[in-house]
């Protein structure tokens, strides 16, 4: 099989892994080729709009496991291939020199057994790091079930490591991926997390200690393959961030490539909006100081398809608004819809010099269309602002959702809003379904 | 400084020349209505004054900026100077004058129109430079990695350092077609020069092979069920496509493809397993 066919088969098998960042570490190529940029660099964007920054491939897609959601499960009729470690190292170097990629994302199906698979991956990365002196970014997946010393060696060669949790609850895991136990997934995560911690103490004592996964650890969950709710997922993400000090949790909307006897069938729409809401919530947890319990709770287990989580929270807490722009704390400013991290920082910088008014806020990049309902400047609301429930809700909705629901800009046209109720909007059930499955 | 609305400075287009314009503002105590380079058409009505570039005067202004505003401010002013915006010289000069008046505090005066415009330009230049870190595509020509780009702003001085670090001693060239600037590195030394054009040989078989492999990877990695060309366009506007091999296909032409073309190429290249 020539390398072009192998590349096609093995990148086709790897494409459902959402992790695609090359951020988290700065490195210069003092003694080799390549460097890392702290913010990460996007080299291209695929036809589905996702960023391409790394050469994302499996070392092999010949798997002995049969996890039902996975396209590479044993027994599934797809072409199988395997790179030799040197072939992959050569390919990576040549792509890297042409600035096609920032580095390598290496995962693998489990060939023979987890230890053997890990050893093959280590060989490929050793060729890259030691023989070709590659100093670019490497993201390696840890193989659940592999020996801890092998995982440790992998961490010394890679910049970021990850273990995919895939399914958000033990029950789903038992049903859909019986070869992987909860222990076999969480154990390497905790090993990696502990090793990273030990490494940071070692580096304090000895500056040239070898670095273990300097860009940290991440993981991924599949959305829509199991009945777990948004609340369970976001609570699990929060716990993972706290317990394992992960850098990122990725969410991957389920594409029906799995075993159709127990999973959604082919033709089921991919739950893109739900994935989008989860990423919005993830950002709120990491950058806006929210906790999972503030966004959802036992009674509200799913995100609202009409409004993003931050808006929902703001609408549910009218007691803290309106905020005075020239006085409010940074933490509270972050909670206003239409004010992001950058705008909030600019507000507190600019207001040291002068009192701000609405035209100043516009210059600073605040989205007044949304924020105007929640803030005052110098004690006053925006001039000419009429606060009606329907008008406000229309303005807070995203353009795509409003267009899909056929809601015009003039609040008077709406028939949805005749009785403002606790349930906010009362669209048809089909519209809810359309939102959830990404047709809107 | 009194504001005379009819004086327009005209200078040679160099950074030192711009600093001399600022020097002139203080010499004759006016703030000009416009600053243009000598190769721009003189469309505004008013009195035009040509400013000669004098290195001593430029150095005095530069030292003043470093002392009053810090080294970082000087880097920011250089960035704005690289902008393609027509007003960049005037905005930069006004910012420097404000800086001399208020000191370091000027960077916090975000509600001020001049400061706001200055930082907007700086962001625009910085954003384009950051995109190019990823979108530059090299071809191997006789052992030298060569690339051509056509940016709106003159980003080569900003991205040069990154690629010098990245290539770790290998020779490379990046040619900016719009601004006729290039960074040339022998591996040991690098410099930024002005050249009219860069002659490139047709790619050899090894180069073509890796371009084809990259296109295979690019076409395969997208998930059909999530096809979203608008999202792709937001992140990677079409103006970058002409020098990126995954969008141009086998031809080396500058013709940018439409979404339909790209997808046709994608479908034609698909292997039987994909359908």
């Amino acid at each position: 099989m020539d390398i072009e066919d192998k590349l096609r088969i093995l990148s086709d098998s790897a494409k459902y892994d959402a992790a695609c960042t090359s951020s988290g570490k700065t490195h210069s190529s003092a003694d080799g080729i390549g460097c890392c940029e702290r913010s990460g660099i996007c080299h291209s964007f695929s036809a589905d709009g996702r960023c391409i920054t790394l050469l994302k491939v499996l070392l092999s897609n010949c798997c002995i496991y049969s996890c039902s959601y996975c396209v590479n499960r044993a027994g599934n009729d797809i072409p199988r291939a395997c790179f030799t470690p040197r072939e992959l190292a050569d390919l990576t170097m040549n792509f890297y020199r042409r600035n096609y990629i920032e580095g390598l994302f290496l995962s693998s199906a489990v060939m023979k057994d987890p230890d053997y698979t890990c050893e093959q991956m280590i060989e490929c990365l050793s060729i890259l790091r030691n023989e070709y002196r590659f100093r670019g970014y490497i993201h390696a997946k840890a193989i659940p079930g592999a020996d801890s010393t092998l995982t440790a060696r992998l961490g010394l060669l890679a910049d970021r490591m990850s273990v995919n949790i895939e399914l958000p609850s033990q029950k789903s895991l038992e049903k859909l991926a019986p070869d992987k136990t909860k222990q076999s997934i969480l154990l390497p995560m905790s090993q990696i997390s502990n090793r990273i911690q030990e490494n940071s103490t070692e580096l304090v004592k000895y500056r040239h200690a070898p670095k273990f996964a300097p860009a940290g650890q991440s993981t991924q969950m599949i959305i829509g393959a199991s009945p777990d709710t948004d609340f369970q997922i976001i609570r699990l993400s929060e716990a993972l961030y706290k317990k394992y000090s992960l850098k990122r949790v990725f969410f991957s909307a389920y594409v029906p490539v799995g075993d159709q006897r127990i999973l959604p069938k082919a033709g089921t729409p991919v739950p893109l909006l739900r994935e989008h809401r989860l990423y919005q919530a993830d950002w709120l947890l990491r950058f806006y100081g929210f906790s999972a319990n503030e966004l959802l709770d036992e009674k509200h287990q799913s995100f609202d398809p009409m409004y993003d989580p931050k808006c929902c929270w703001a609408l549910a807490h009218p007691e803290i608004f309106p905020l005075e722009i020239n006085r409010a704390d940074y933490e509270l400013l972050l909670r206003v819809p239409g004010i992001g991290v950058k705008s909030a920082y600019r507000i507190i910088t600019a207001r040291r010099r002068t009192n701000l008014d609405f035209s100043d806020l516009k210059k600073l990049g605040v989205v007044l269309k949304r924020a105007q309902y929640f803030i005052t400047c110098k004690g006053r609301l925006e001039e000419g602002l009429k606060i009606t429930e329907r008008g406000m809700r229309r303005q807070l909705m995203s353009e795509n959702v409003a267009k899909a629901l056929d809601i015009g800009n003039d609040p008077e046209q709406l028939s949805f809003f005749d009785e403002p109720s606790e349930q906010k909007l009362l669209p048809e059930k089909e519209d809810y379904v359309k939102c959830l499955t990404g047709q809107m | 400084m009194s504001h005379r609305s009819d004086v327009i400075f005209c200078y040679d287009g160099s950074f030192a020349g711009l600093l001399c314009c600022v020097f002139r503002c203080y010499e004759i105590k006016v703030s000009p209505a416009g600053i243009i380079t000598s190769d721009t058409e003189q469309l505004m009505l008013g009195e035009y004054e040509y400013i000669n570039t004098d290195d001593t005067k430029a150095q005095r202004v530069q030292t003043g900026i470093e002392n009053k505003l810090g080294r970082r401010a000087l880097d920011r002013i250089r960035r704005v100077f690289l902008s393609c915006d027509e007003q960049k010289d005037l905005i930069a000069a006004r910012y420097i004058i404000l800086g001399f008046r208020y000191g370091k505090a000027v960077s916090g005066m975000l509600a001020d129109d001049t400061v706001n415009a200055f930082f907007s330009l700086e962001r625009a230049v910085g954003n384009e430079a950051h995109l190019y870190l990823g979108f530059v595509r090299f071809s191997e020509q006789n052992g030298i990695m060569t690339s051509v780009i056509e940016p709106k702003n003159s980003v080569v001085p900003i991205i040069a350092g990154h690629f010098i670090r990245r290539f770790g001693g290998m020779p490379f060239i990046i040619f900016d077609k719009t601004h006729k600037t290039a960074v040339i590195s022998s591996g040991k030394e690098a410099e930024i020069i002005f050249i009219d054009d860069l002659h490139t040989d047709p790619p050899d078989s090894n180069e073509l092979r890796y371009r084809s492999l990259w296109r295979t990877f690019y076409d395969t990695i997208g998930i059909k069920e999530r096809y979203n060309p608008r999202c792709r366009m937001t992140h990677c506007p079409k103006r970058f496509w002409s020098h990126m091999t995954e969008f141009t296909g086998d031809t080396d032409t500058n013709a940018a493809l439409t979404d339909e073309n790209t997808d046709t190429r994608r479908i034609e290249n698909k292997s039987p397993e994909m359908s």
Side-chain angles (χ1 to χ4, degrees):
Chain A
M1 199 185 286
D2 82 353
I3 200 129
E4 178 140 6
D5 291 323
K6 286 191 187 184
L7 180 61
R8 190 179 301 119
I9 292 170
L10 291 168
S11 50
D12 196 39
S13 288
K15 68 194 193 188
Y16 300 104
D17 202 306
C20 66
T21 60
S22 52
S23 58
K25 185 197 147 194
T26 321
H27 189 99
S28 278
S29 61
D31 57 340
I33 299 188
C35 62
C36 294
E37 190 72 19
R38 188 164 197 97
S39 61
I41 295 175
C42 289
H43 281 264
S44 190
F45 290 89
S46 56
D48 55 25
R50 297 188 306 165
C51 156
I52 300 175
T53 173
L54 303 171
L55 173 61
K56 193 187 297 186
V57 284
L58 300 188
L59 188 59
S60 161
N61 70 344
C62 310
C63 199
I64 58 171
Y65 291 168
S66 17
C67 308
S68 340
Y69 53 80
C70 182
V71 70
N72 304 307
R73 62 190 181 278
N76 195 20
D77 184 22
I78 55 166
R80 307 277 174 173
C82 191
F83 277 123
T84 66
R86 187 157 297 272
E87 271 175 341
L88 184 54
D90 283 342
L91 189 62
T92 309
M93 283 309 288
N94 275 294
F95 276 4
Y96 187 77
R97 286 165 66 225
R98 289 168 176 77
N99 206 45
Y100 295 161
I101 52 175
E102 205 50 23
L104 177 65
F105 176 105
L106 185 58
S107 180
S108 184
V110 180
M111 341 171 231
K112 281 202 212 168
D113 61 59
D115 285 348
Y116 174 76
T117 312
C118 215
E119 278 161 10
Q120 292 290 100
M121 287 172 67
I122 288 171
E123 197 188 326
C124 177
L125 299 190
S126 302
I127 298 175
L128 269 175
R129 287 291 195 215
N130 302 327
E131 209 180 304
Y132 295 154
R133 298 176 306 138
F134 177 69
R135 300 288 170 259
Y137 195 89
I138 295 182
H139 181 148
K141 308 290 295 198
I143 308 290
D147 187 78
S148 60
T149 45
L150 289 174
T151 310
R153 271 174 63 198
L154 205 56
L156 288 172
L157 295 164
D159 292 302
R160 176 165 288 181
M161 293 199 68
S162 57
V163 188
N164 282 1
I165 281 214
E166 298 298 17
L167 296 161
S169 68
Q170 188 160 2
K171 215 163 79 171
S172 317
L173 203 60
E174 277 164 19
K175 190 169 166 211
L176 300 174
D179 299 301
K180 290 181 180 163
T181 63
K182 177 177 162 187
Q183 259 309 89
S184 75
I185 294 177
L186 293 182
L187 190 61
M189 283 182 80
S190 94
Q191 282 168 356
I192 294 169
S193 159
N194 291 338
R195 193 72 197 80
I196 291 177
Q197 189 131 357
E198 284 165 19
N199 191 229
S200 61
T201 346
E202 280 163 21
L203 284 166
V204 168
K205 288 187 211 154
Y206 174 49
R207 192 147 52 107
H208 297 289
K211 293 200 184 134
F212 184 91
Q217 198 186 169
S218 65
T219 190
Q220 169 174 287
M221 283 196 259
I222 302 180
I223 308 303
S226 61
D228 305 289
T229 62
D230 293 341
F231 181 46
Q232 288 169 297
I233 294 170
I234 203 72
R235 237 188 357 177
L236 176 61
S237 306
E238 191 180 41
L240 288 171
Y241 280 124
K242 285 210 177 94
K243 184 155 184 213
Y244 298 113
S245 312
L246 296 181
K247 290 282 182 178
R248 280 296 298 271
V249 174
F250 289 97
F251 305 105
S252 181
Y254 179 66
V255 179
V257 293
D259 187 340
Q260 302 195 18
R261 291 170 292 177
I262 42 179
L263 283 163
K265 301 205 180 337
T268 316
V270 180
L272 294 174
L273 182 65
R274 205 176 154 205
E275 186 197 271
H276 180 49
R277 289 281 180 253
L278 280 164
Y279 274 121
Q280 287 175 321
D282 175 74
W283 237 257
L284 292 177
L285 292 184
R286 290 190 293 134
F287 298 114
Y288 288 79
F290 281 83
S291 69
N293 285 320
E294 287 181 288
L295 298 172
L296 290 172
D297 54 40
E298 302 289 346
K299 289 209 203 99
H300 309 93
Q301 297 243 358
S302 296
F303 288 116
D304 192 322
M306 308 290 169
Y307 303 104
D308 62 76
K310 188 172 168 188
C311 256
C312 286
W313 185 88
L315 288 170
H317 291 83
E319 67 278 6
I320 73 160
F321 298 109
L323 295 177
E324 169 53 42
I325 281 292
N326 289 297
R327 286 188 188 288
D329 287 337
Y330 176 73
E331 290 74 22
L332 280 178
L333 284 176
L334 282 180
R335 303 222 161 195
V336 175
I339 296 184
V341 174
K342 284 190 182 155
S343 312
Y345 175 74
R346 286 180 199 149
I347 289 172
I348 59 173
T349 308
R351 73 183 183 189
R352 283 191 204 123
R353 304 280 151 219
T354 139
N355 263 338
L356 301 172
D357 61 32
F358 283 96
S359 57
D360 294 328
L361 287 184
K362 198 153 178 211
K363 285 182 215 164
L364 297 181
V366 170
V367 183
L368 282 179
K369 179 183 162 204
R370 308 172 110 215
Q372 60 190 350
Y373 300 103
F374 302 98
I375 55 175
T376 57
C377 285
K378 302 179 190 169
R380 293 203 212 103
L381 288 172
E382 176 142 46
E383 225 173 280
L385 177 69
K386 270 185 286 187
I387 302 195
T388 59
E389 174 124 10
R390 51 169 92 173
M392 184 167 84
R393 289 178 184 279
R394 166 62 189 87
Q395 295 287 66
L396 291 174
M397 214 181 270
S398 84
E399 284 307 320
N400 289 339
V401 173
K403 215 185 289 185
L405 287 180
D406 210 15
I407 298 176
N409 262 311
D410 175 12
E412 300 309 313
Q413 284 171 11
L414 295 171
S415 57
F416 283 131
F417 294 96
D418 284 329
E419 281 126 33
S421 69
E422 215 11 80
Q423 272 308 298
K424 299 175 235 178
L425 302 175
L426 296 169
E428 301 299 325
K429 185 181 170 204
E430 299 157 4
D431 297 324
Y432 260 117
V433 171
K434 276 195 203 152
C435 273
L436 283 165
T437 56
Q439 283 168 321
M440 290 186 173
Chain B
M1 194 169 297
S2 68
H3 179 80
R4 262 204 1 231
S5 61
D6 53 354
V7 174
I8 298 159
F9 289 164
C10 190
Y11 78 109
D12 68 353
S14 66
F15 187 65
L18 177 64
L19 297 182
C20 289
C21 292
V22 175
F23 191 93
R24 186 69 181 154
C25 294
Y26 282 97
E27 258 190 331
I28 58 175
K29 302 255 191 304
V30 294
S31 182
I35 300 181
I36 60 168
T37 52
S38 38
D39 53 7
T40 324
E41 261 185 85
Q42 297 185 351
L43 293 171
M44 285 171 71
L45 284 174
E47 196 187 308
Y48 284 82
E49 184 179 334
Y50 188 80
I51 310 287
N52 287 313
T53 304
D54 178 337
D55 281 332
T56 343
K57 290 181 181 167
Q59 187 55 53
R60 275 175 70 179
V61 176
Q62 187 168 317
T63 315
I65 296 172
E66 282 171 338
N67 291 340
K68 266 227 129 174
L69 299 177
R71 278 238 65 182
R72 184 142 188 254
L74 186 64
D75 290 334
R76 294 179 111 155
I77 295 165
R78 277 191 210 278
R79 277 202 180 195
V80 171
F81 174 72
L82 295 170
S83 165
C84 61
D85 190 286
E86 281 170 356
Q87 298 287 317
K88 61 147 166 121
D89 299 309
L90 186 63
I91 291 173
R94 284 190 177 152
Y95 182 80
I96 296 172
I97 293 168
L98 263 183
F100 281 147
R101 186 166 162 203
Y102 292 105
K104 285 199 175 152
V106 73
S107 61
M109 293 162 50
L110 302 175
D112 178 278
D113 284 327
T114 304
V115 178
N116 193 33
F118 179 82
F119 285 137
S120 294
L121 287 185
E122 195 220 354
R123 266 198 301 279
V125 175
N127 287 345
E128 194 182 29
H130 183 78
L131 286 180
Y132 269 108
L133 291 183
F135 295 159
V136 163
R137 295 277 179 268
F138 289 94
S139 304
E140 187 154 12
Q141 302 238 322
N142 307 317
I144 304 177
M145 305 310 286
T146 317
S147 169
V148 179
I149 55 174
E150 286 185 78
K152 276 192 193 160
N153 304 295
S154 177
V155 296
V156 161
I158 304 176
I159 65 176
H162 169 87
F163 287 102
I164 291 169
R165 272 195 319 274
R166 184 184 169 101
F167 278 116
M170 279 176 55
F172 71 93
I173 299 174
I174 304 174
F175 172 56
D176 174 346
K177 220 166 158 186
T178 325
H179 301 91
K180 310 266 185 261
T181 324
V183 55
I184 299 196
S185 168
S186 66
K188 297 198 185 59
E189 300 166 325
E191 62 177 320
I192 296 175
I193 60 174
F194 292 102
I195 54 176
D196 274 323
D197 202 1
L198 185 75
H199 167 73
T200 46
D201 295 323
D204 62 19
S205 60
N206 195 43
E207 175 64 33
L208 285 172
R209 185 164 162 259
Y210 281 109
R211 288 190 194 175
S212 167
L213 284 169
W214 175 242
R215 279 194 288 272
T216 303
F217 175 72
Y218 177 84
D219 290 343
T220 317
I221 203 79
I223 297 179
K224 294 197 300 289
E225 291 85 350
R226 296 180 67 134
Y227 182 58
N228 194 344
R230 225 166 47 131
C231 184
R232 171 173 58 179
M233 196 84 77
T234 316
H235 290 117
C236 184
K238 275 212 178 125
R239 64 189 176 88
F240 295 104
W241 288 19
S242 56
H243 294 287
M244 292 169 77
T245 183
E246 60 263 39
F247 297 114
T248 55
D250 279 328
T251 59
D252 251 309
T253 66
N254 286 337
L257 298 182
T258 60
D259 283 320
E260 293 83 49
N261 287 3
T262 319
D263 298 333
T264 313
R265 181 178 65 73
R266 197 166 63 98
I267 291 164
E268 276 160 11
N269 283 347
K270 255 198 227 173
S271 72
E273 291 100 44
M274 289 269 289
S275 49

